Amino acid sequence: MTKTIMFVHGAWLTPKAWDGWRSYVEAAGYKTVAPTWPHMDRPIPSLRRSPDPALATLNVVDIVDHYAAEIAKLDEPPIIVGHSFGGLITLMLLDRGLGLAGAVLDPAPPRGVFPGLRSVLSALPVLTSWNGWNRVLTMSREGFAGTFANTLPAGIVDDAYDTYVVPAPGRPYFQAAIGIGNGVSFNGLSSPLLLIAGLKDKTADPAMIKRIWRAYDKAKAPAEFVAYPGRSHFLFAEQGWQEIADGVLAWLAGKGLAAAEESFHIAAE
């Protein structure tokens, strides 16, 4: 059974978001890879100073195709773990049958799942940006503190912003809002899926994550939902992230990979 985990970062972030997780799960015996989104394979200071203009037209399908190509380079089908828009990318990769199992932290919604008022309000700075569909945008410090990392103490929120946040394309936000290029076949899910919500998340409403989970109710493979109290959209790195990582590892060691192995054998017959 596979021992490779592919991590997929979300908008405003880079693979650095997964540094802690990679060390943690590697200590548990897994191999890890964490490719960056297209046009973002540069140091964070360079991405902030001069983002690649090609980012302006990057769309959801471009990102999914990019990760599909990265998966094709691997020796085995990976477990895919994604956060935010990386969670949506994970759902779409699983929809293509490219992951043995998947875990998504506060994912952006696929087509057919209403994002909810809290999520819409958090996206307004992007959705109301002039020509945001065709631009590379920057999250403000105020937006990061208010809706992305709203549980972080005031004394460390600026450091977190400086450590992790980079410009991002506006187009995927518009696509998620109007349901273009972000569809999946909920009933066709063939890999086990774990959906994770932070109950204080103001970017990906936990009620929305539960609606995504319910959409997989009749899927071929099992989908499970778990919510963590006190966690914001920054749950991948805020205090206590190890508890979430432990939960993912426990799920993989139990139902996750057991269900994946069963599905794998059925498909091979």
Side-chain angles (χ1 to χ4, degrees):
M1 188 55 63
T2 187
K3 293 291 283 185
T4 299
I5 297 179
M6 174 176 281
F7 289 101
V8 185
H9 67 85
W12 317 112
L13 300 169
T14 71
K16 183 173 180 57
W18 294 115
D19 282 357
W21 281 66
R22 293 186 69 183
S23 298
Y24 201 75
V25 303
E26 285 170 4
Y30 289 90
K31 297 181 291 184
T32 70
V33 292
T36 188
W37 285 15
H39 317 303
M40 293 183 64
D41 191 13
R42 287 189 284 141
I44 287 176
S46 176
L47 291 172
R48 287 184 180 144
R49 185 171 55 250
S50 57
D52 191 327
L55 268 179
T57 58
L58 187 67
N59 63 46
V60 172
V61 174
D62 292 335
I63 304 170
V64 178
D65 287 345
H66 172 76
Y67 278 93
E70 293 295 320
I71 289 172
K73 300 175 185 178
L74 300 176
D75 295 330
E76 57 184 355
I79 300 153
I80 310 174
V81 177
H83 167 255
S84 193
F85 263 101
L88 173 60
I89 301 309
T90 299
L91 297 180
M92 295 176 70
L93 290 168
L94 295 178
D95 190 57
R96 296 188 185 187
L98 296 178
L100 196 69
V104 292
L105 286 65
D106 293 335
R111 184 171 60 235
V113 177
F114 180 66
L117 181 59
R118 187 189 299 186
S119 297
V120 171
L121 290 174
S122 74
L124 279 181
V126 172
L127 299 177
T128 58
S129 295
W130 177 83
N131 198 29
W133 175 269
N134 294 310
R135 292 175 56 205
V136 180
L137 303 172
T138 299
M139 179 192 291
S140 69
R141 288 182 181 272
E142 293 76 17
F144 178 74
T147 63
F148 198 101
N150 47 286
T151 58
L152 288 189
I156 65 172
V157 69
D158 278 340
D159 287 342
Y161 180 93
D162 291 335
T163 299
Y164 293 104
V165 177
V166 297
R171 186 163 297 186
Y173 272 85
F174 287 88
Q175 289 183 289
I178 59 182
I180 295 177
N182 66 331
V184 299
S185 173
F186 295 108
N187 291 351
L189 178 72
S190 58
S191 301
L193 173 64
L194 177 64
L195 296 112
I196 298 167
L199 289 180
K200 288 195 173 182
D201 192 327
K202 293 185 178 181
T203 294
D205 190 330
M208 177 190 73
I209 313 302
K210 185 170 281 190
R211 286 193 291 274
I212 298 174
W213 169 59
R214 287 174 176 161
Y216 284 104
D217 183 56
K218 297 180 180 179
K220 299 175 183 178
E224 298 190 35
F225 171 83
V226 62
Y228 287 86
R231 302 314 205 285
S232 69
H233 202 62
F234 197 64
L235 78 176
F236 62 88
E238 68 185 324
Q239 185 175 3
W241 64 263
Q242 295 91 340
E243 179 186 4
I244 302 174
D246 284 339
V248 172
L249 291 173
W251 175 76
L252 288 171
K255 296 179 182 179
L257 287 184
E261 186 172 13
E262 181 179 350
S263 298
F264 178 79
H265 286 314
I266 290 172
E269 291 176 354

